[in-house]
């Protein structure tokens, strides 16, 4: 059954949002052990190729990397360490160190132990089993709402 | 002034959320041209090293990749194509093709033209100037709220 091709109507903008973050992983059982058993994250769906987690209004996915490569028609041999990082911001500075320890106990590799950051906060980095970098950060300049959403305050205009 | 080391109190869980997605980019001006000029995304903060966008309750960052590498103490020579993808989900199938064209006009490379997906939706992939894969997806099985949040319905229990 042919589908009607899309109607070219008025231009829709691409809103400022990300719906899904998908990490390509080598071994789903290993990833599961880290995120589900280790960090106690609860999958909302899983099968042999993919695990989905509801993370607030978005979705975090762990997908076998060969399947992901196939999905966007990439050559998996070109994959390397991802030049990207995910961050998990906390409400108080005191949450950072215990979370770094929790991640380490779950099997993460500490990339950088938590320390004072030049931008005024306190943060550390760990790598998940596939080497994806996660920052655990306390940023006193950003506002966090009870649901964990973060909001960057608009910069103060300089008086001129 | 020494900061008190963190108090080891009761174990805090790592909530299921992502605060920031940071992509390490080679040239911030090129990235800016794509996301700001091309996709009309509005930075909430920018300097010579980093650009922050408020994306719903999270933050999307473009950061010079050498600075990012320094931040998590990685060797930038190990960076390769990121085995990950971001997805932007839309409300109706008809939004997919125009958004793929919009991205292409902004300088994206089409990795996979939009098509019917095996999972029942319709999607395509483009790469941003640094090769990061973005999927533009319509998924009729997921619920999207007016603010663009997506929610995976809990699976139906099989009767047994």
């Amino acid at each position: 059954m042919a589908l009607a091709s899309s109607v070219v109507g008025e231009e829709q903008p691409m809103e400022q949002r990300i719906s899904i973050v998908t990490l390509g992983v080598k071994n789903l059982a290993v990833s599961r052990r880290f995120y589900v058993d280790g960090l106690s994250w609860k999958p909302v769906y899983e099968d042999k190729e993919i695990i989905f987690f509801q993370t607030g209004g978005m979705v975090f996915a762990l997908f076998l990397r060969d399947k992901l490569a196939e999905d966007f028609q990439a050559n998996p041999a070109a994959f390397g360490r991802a030049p990207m990082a995910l961050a998990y911001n906390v409400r108080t500075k005191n949450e950072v160190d215990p979370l770094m320890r929790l991640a380490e106990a779950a099997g993460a590799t500490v990339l950088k132990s938590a320390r004072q950051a030049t931008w005024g906060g306190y943060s550390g980095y760990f790598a998940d089993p596939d080497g994806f970098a996660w920052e655990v950060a306390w940023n006193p300049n950003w506002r966090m709402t009870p649901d964990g959403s973060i909001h960057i305050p608009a910069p103060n205009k300089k008086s001129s």
Side-chain angles (χ1 to χ4, degrees), chain A residues 50-117:
Chain A
I50 201 161
I51 304 177
F52 286 122
F53 300 89
Q54 184 77 44
T55 46
M58 58 171 288
V59 168
F60 175 62
L62 302 167
F63 192 19
L64 284 177
R65 55 189 255 165
D66 286 350
K67 297 287 176 184
L68 179 65
E70 204 177 287
D71 208 29
F72 64 80
Q73 305 186 331
N75 175 2
F79 284 152
R81 174 164 209 156
M84 56 83 70
L86 301 175
Y88 176 86
N89 280 40
V90 295
R91 294 172 181 81
T92 64
K93 179 174 176 292
N94 284 350
E95 289 174 70
V96 177
D97 286 330
L99 283 171
M100 290 292 293
R101 284 194 294 271
L102 174 69
E104 202 178 359
T109 304
V110 173
L111 298 174
K112 182 184 182 176
S113 58
R115 62 193 68 174
Q116 291 262 126

Side-chain angles (χ1 to χ4, degrees), chain A residues 23-78:
Chain A
L23 304 184
V25 303
K26 288 179 187 141
N27 182 320
L28 211 52
V30 170
S31 300
R32 194 183 196 289
R33 208 170 303 135
F34 180 69
Y35 287 98
V36 179
D37 301 337
L39 301 186
S40 306
W41 284 23
K42 298 194 191 336
V44 63
Y45 173 84
E46 56 185 316
D47 62 29
K48 285 180 180 184
E49 294 182 358
I50 201 161
I51 304 177
F52 286 122
F53 300 89
Q54 184 77 44
T55 46
M58 58 171 288
V59 168
F60 175 62
L62 302 167
F63 192 19
L64 284 177
R65 55 189 255 165
D66 286 350
K67 297 287 176 184
L68 179 65
E70 204 177 287
D71 208 29
F72 64 80
Q73 305 186 331
N75 175 2

Side-chain angles (χ1 to χ4, degrees), chain A residues 96 100 111-115 122-126 134-137:
Chain A
V96 177
M100 290 292 293
L111 298 174
K112 182 184 182 176
S113 58
R115 62 193 68 174
Y122 183 78
S123 87
Y125 276 96
F126 67 79
W134 272 95
E135 185 180 19
V136 179

